Amino acid sequence: MSDTSQDQPVVDENHLIAERRAKLAKLRETGQAFPNDFRRDALADDLVTLYGERESAWFDANVIDVKVSGRMLAKRVMGKASFAKIQDHSGQIQLFLQQTALADTYEAFKGWDVGDILAGEGTLFKTKTGELSVKVTTLRLLVKSLRPLPDKWHGLSDHETRYRQRYVDLIINAESRKVFSTRTRIIKYLRSFLDAMDFMEVETPMLQVIPGGATAKPFVTHHNALDMQMYLRIAPELYLKRLIVGGFERVYEINRSFRNEGLSTRHNPEFTMVELYQAYADFRDLMDMVERLLHGLCDTILGTRSIEWEGQQLDLAQPFQRVTVEDMVVQYTPGIERDKLRDVGYLRTWCDQLKIAYKDNDGAGKLQIEIFEKTGEHRLIQPTFVYSYPAEVSPLARRNDADPFITDRFEFFVCGRELANGFSELNDAEDQAERFHEQVSRKSDGDDEAMFYDADYVRALEYGLPPTAGLGIGIDRLVMLLTNSNSIRDVLLFPHMRPET
RNA sequence: GGGUUGGUAGCUCAGUCGGUAGAGCACUGGACUUUUAAUCCAUUGGUCGUGGGUUCGAUUCCCACCCAACCCA
């Protein structure tokens, strides 16, 4: 519990809340206002599944006693009989309440509010209209809700409130609950997929002395006892590869990383990735794995490999297209000449033309990627692997054997968005040391996204990293794809927001 | 970072060519023993995002700012 006495926030109050507070005050006078001695023995949706199809007469011959509880979402008082709909985590079921059966409790119920949490005990039956309901013999108020719920018909549509008060969104919007249960199913599938391949799930530091594994701005924090600056990780990569050095040949981690960047429909400062590393594999093995994983997810989660996303029809049934970065640059930049793609001066003239800003020390590889991101990336709607990324922008990836300008690295795009990034790992310690030096000189030239030199990581490589391939998949974006969500905030339970004013 | 749109009752939304603001639902009171957004009758409810400016008067016009959504970089 935190101490808020210093600056007690002013909470919005209104007559609706005042009335409910008065009701709560009366409850306190008559006994325990927040009882916790009721135990239900049935869930709403289980009852509907088990008994929903039974005829009305069946219930006359079979007395089914149930104890249910949940939040009241509808209340219809009709004189000496009433209906209430309660919702538990499985679904909803209707309660039928009669004055003759409930006496004083019935009168009390008339004063209870939508949003209150009730417990009902009684027998199952079907109403005239055929809705499975509980004819209640004992009714209790378990929790008095002090705040009114949104409009029962229009619901809650205001994005800001849905994100800031997700609990209200979850009470009201079934679609929202669905997105998050799907998110959990996706992550469960991913775990079982990797576990079945004998991968081991591990946890590595989020609080790091040297943030590594990606080019991004880190969050900075401070460790008081050690009096030192620390960082929230931007990726788990370097620790996971240390584990491969240690002999755990297949490892993965599903957890948060943090990047100190702006907010958008595609970016949250903290986001979830799976990173996995597999010894004795290369980047092509990982492209195959991504394909199998996506197929399995489609089959298991959606039941189809044809996805509608933002009005676009995506075909995930076929093997995914595989093309090189230079192919993409040529294809989506009409007029650019393939045999000059490694000529810095030539690429600069294209950057000028495309209004792409570049730095003096940007080489051909960096400029290629800038051009691709400007002209090609957003056009990769159907699932596509783009591979052969320049070594210049891939400081942790293994160089291609035939062409040292590029690495054995790919990124995977769907809907014009990067969903995954994988490569054959650089396991030449001396090459890695050189690449770190390059990054450090970029950093001293003012590139605050450039990497730090991680001497311990180089030392680990010097013991020998087996030939290894590594992959990272953005879980939030994957969930967006599979739930047809167009904003990352729709797949994060508590997305980052600016403070309320 | 740039552009567009929005912020009015608890919720969903109207509206005011500048004269202290409305509806539906919710709430409160009443009627009603099989409802499904129950229905019917009668009420209650607002610092019109915040701060300035213009004006006799601003929720409305102007400026700045805050928050959000969407698009672009």
Side-chain angles (χ1 to χ4, degrees):
Chain A
M1 202 177 286
S2 61
D3 181 15
T4 55
S5 59
Q6 300 229 326
D7 54 338
Q8 199 80 26
V10 181
V11 181
D12 51 311
E13 291 276 354
N14 59 56
H15 77 279
L16 298 170
I17 295 173
E19 277 153 12
R20 291 180 176 214
R21 281 195 196 283
K23 290 175 183 177
L24 174 60
K26 279 199 174 163
L27 287 172
R28 290 189 198 279
E29 285 169 17
T30 56
Q32 173 54 267
F34 294 89
N36 186 2
D37 59 340
F38 177 83
R39 296 295 175 265
R40 65 183 168 203
D41 63 11
L43 290 174
D45 205 52
D46 291 346
L47 295 176
V48 172
T49 303
L50 283 170
Y51 303 107
E53 299 304 312
R54 294 288 184 184
E55 297 293 328
S56 184
W58 186 86
F59 294 98
D60 299 333
N62 300 272
V63 176
I64 311 293
D65 289 307
V66 296
K67 296 180 184 176
V68 293
S69 60
R71 189 183 299 276
M72 178 160 65
L73 289 186
K75 178 189 170 198
R76 294 183 282 273
V77 178
M78 255 148 299
K80 297 185 176 63
S82 294
F83 294 89
K85 194 152 269 186
I86 61 168
Q87 173 171 280
D88 62 28
H89 78 261
S90 74
Q92 301 184 350
I93 192 157
Q94 181 169 263
L95 306 183
F96 180 57
L97 314 165
Q98 291 170 295
Q99 187 181 52
T100 48
L102 297 170
D104 289 351
T105 307
Y106 186 79
E107 295 311 309
F109 166 79
K110 288 186 186 174
W112 298 353
D113 295 290
V114 169
D116 289 352
I117 295 169
L118 316 184
E121 209 173 326
T123 54
L124 288 179
F125 78 112
K126 281 225 166 154
T127 63
K128 266 204 274 199
T129 54
E131 177 162 351
L132 183 71
S133 305
V134 181
K135 187 173 288 181
V136 174
T137 51
T138 306
L139 182 69
R140 294 178 67 191
L141 176 59
L142 299 184
V143 178
K144 181 72 210 163
S145 168
L146 296 176
R147 289 180 176 267
L149 289 175
D151 189 285
K152 65 187 171 191
W153 184 243
H154 298 98
L156 178 64
S157 57
D158 181 64
H159 281 94
E160 191 168 348
T161 310
R162 290 184 53 209
Y163 298 147
R164 288 192 196 279
Q165 296 180 252
R166 182 67 87 186
Y167 38 91
V168 179
D169 179 45
L170 292 172
I171 290 170
I172 291 294
N173 292 321
E175 325 81 73
S176 191
R177 291 195 296 274
K178 181 84 189 296
V179 165
F180 294 106
S181 64
T182 300
R183 182 182 173 114
T184 295
R185 288 170 60 216
I186 289 167
I187 292 170
K188 270 191 182 171
Y189 180 87
L190 179 60
R191 282 209 165 87
S192 65
F193 179 91
L194 293 172
D195 293 345
M197 292 176 69
D198 208 20
F199 276 83
M200 171 175 157
E201 183 169 11
V202 297
E203 293 171 272
T204 65
M206 292 196 188
L207 205 51
Q208 302 183 342
V209 176
I210 301 172
T215 48
K217 285 178 219 166
F219 282 93
V220 183
T221 185
H222 185 263
H223 191 293
N224 289 343
L226 299 179
D227 189 23
M228 68 186 297
Q229 183 163 280
M230 296 194 82
Y231 303 87
L232 300 186
R233 73 173 176 197
I234 53 177
E237 173 155 354
L238 300 185
Y239 282 100
L240 291 171
K241 283 191 281 195
R242 284 173 170 99
L243 296 179
I244 302 285
V245 170
F248 291 137
E249 294 176 348
R250 295 184 177 200
V251 294
Y252 73 95
E253 180 163 10
I254 300 175
N255 218 317
R256 228 65 61 78
S257 289
F258 307 83
R259 295 185 185 176
N260 206 339
E261 294 159 3
L263 304 166
S264 80
T265 50
R266 303 177 193 191
H267 299 90
N268 196 63
E270 55 181 303
F271 62 100
T272 302
M273 272 199 299
V274 58
E275 280 205 8
L276 64 92
Y277 293 85
Q278 179 179 358
Y280 310 106
D282 68 13
F283 76 120
R284 292 182 190 279
D285 298 314
L286 294 183
M287 287 196 269
D288 294 344
M289 186 195 288
V290 168
E291 208 167 273
R292 285 203 316 279
L293 175 64
L294 264 289
H295 284 160
L297 280 167
C298 284
D299 296 348
T300 306
I301 306 294
L302 302 174
T304 171
R305 294 183 182 183
S306 177
I307 298 181
E308 167 143 0
W309 199 92
E310 289 287 284
Q312 312 250 27
Q313 212 57 42
L314 302 177
D315 178 12
L316 283 86
Q318 304 303 314
F320 305 156
Q321 201 191 357
R322 300 184 183 193
V323 293
T324 68
V325 170
E326 291 186 349
D327 286 342
M328 288 290 90
V329 171
V330 169
Q331 182 176 341
Y332 290 112
T333 318
I336 205 163
E337 291 178 56
R338 178 182 285 275
D339 55 9
K340 294 185 184 167
L341 287 183
R342 297 183 185 182
D343 176 332
V344 172
Y346 179 75
L347 292 173
R348 282 185 179 179
T349 64
W350 275 94
C351 285
D352 292 337
Q353 199 174 318
L354 294 165
K355 298 196 176 73
I356 295 169
Y358 51 83
K359 297 191 186 99
D360 290 345
N361 58 359
D362 285 345
K366 171 81 170 158
L367 297 178
Q368 276 188 8
I369 291 302
E370 292 289 335
I371 292 171
F372 165 63
E373 286 179 354
K374 175 95 176 188
T375 65
E377 181 172 315
H378 65 279
R379 290 178 167 141
L380 297 175
I381 304 301
Q382 298 299 327
T384 307
F385 291 108
V386 177
Y387 66 99
S388 292
Y389 270 67
E392 184 184 354
V393 297
S394 313
L396 303 169
R398 184 182 197 280
R399 281 184 209 275
N400 182 266
D401 287 339
D403 180 358
F405 180 82
I406 57 170
T407 57
D408 288 339
R409 171 186 173 195
F410 69 89
E411 289 196 357
F412 176 61
F413 296 89
V414 190
C415 298
R417 291 162 193 206
E418 178 200 342
L419 202 67
N421 176 23
F423 41 86
S424 302
E425 299 299 336
L426 175 57
N427 60 347
D428 176 338
E430 292 174 353
D431 189 355
Q432 183 67 74
E434 272 175 43
R435 306 248 204 126
F436 274 148
H437 281 306
E438 263 171 50
Q439 291 289 315
V440 168
S441 82
R442 278 178 176 273
K443 189 170 273 300
S444 59
D445 285 343
D447 183 351
D448 52 5
E449 293 191 349
M451 290 179 182
F452 292 75
Y453 191 98
D454 190 331
D456 176 70
Y457 178 66
V458 173
R459 179 167 65 186
L461 292 188
E462 287 169 352
Y463 280 93
L465 172 69
T468 297
L471 171 69
I473 301 174
I475 298 296
D476 309 298
R477 291 181 182 178
L478 180 66
V479 175
M480 287 167 68
L481 174 70
L482 297 174
T483 58
N484 194 16
S485 302
N486 67 357
S487 170
I488 196 169
R489 288 178 161 177
D490 292 327
V491 302
L492 297 171
L493 282 167
F494 299 101
H496 183 79
M497 305 284 281
R498 291 171 201 272
E500 283 182 81
T501 49

